[in-house]
Amino acid sequence: MTARFIVRMGLAVLFAASACAWAQTSQQSPPPLRPTESVVDLVVTDQSGAVVANASVSIRDVETGKRIAGSTNESGRFHTADLAGGKYEVTVKSRGFKPSTVTADLGLFETRQMTIMLLVAPTIDD
């Protein structure tokens, strides 16, 4: 065997190994869903039924204290996934309204659709 042949074989093996490694990393599928994934799909309205955009939403796992926070979109919706089954406190606040807190027990793989109605906060006259 010549040195040139050995170098060519080594390069061929190196090329084949790197192609296999690239194929494995580029074709990996996303990780599977956790077996405890639950979803909350929330709509916030006022007393007239109109949606409340930009309302502050906080979802707290009662057992762990873990909190997810965000705001409703222009359609009054807030959506979150990747929650473990269990008991949650859902608190919604918006300027001009009384805060509202409800408790929800989520089951495994459950999608909970909720509507929370905010009541107008009383105004103070001088």
Side-chain angles (χ1 to χ4, degrees), residues 22 25 33 48-49 85 116 125:
W22 177 81
T25 58
L33 296 177
S48 72
I116 296 180
D125 294 330

Side-chain angles (χ1 to χ4, degrees), residues 2 8 20 26 34 53-54 59 65 68 73 78-79 93 98 101 111 115 123:
T2 66
R8 285 183 181 166
C20 289
S26 67
R34 294 184 327 164
N54 299 315
I59 300 177
I68 295 172
N73 64 15
F78 178 82
H79 177 89
K93 298 177 183 178
K98 295 179 185 178
T101 300
T111 297
T115 300
T123 58

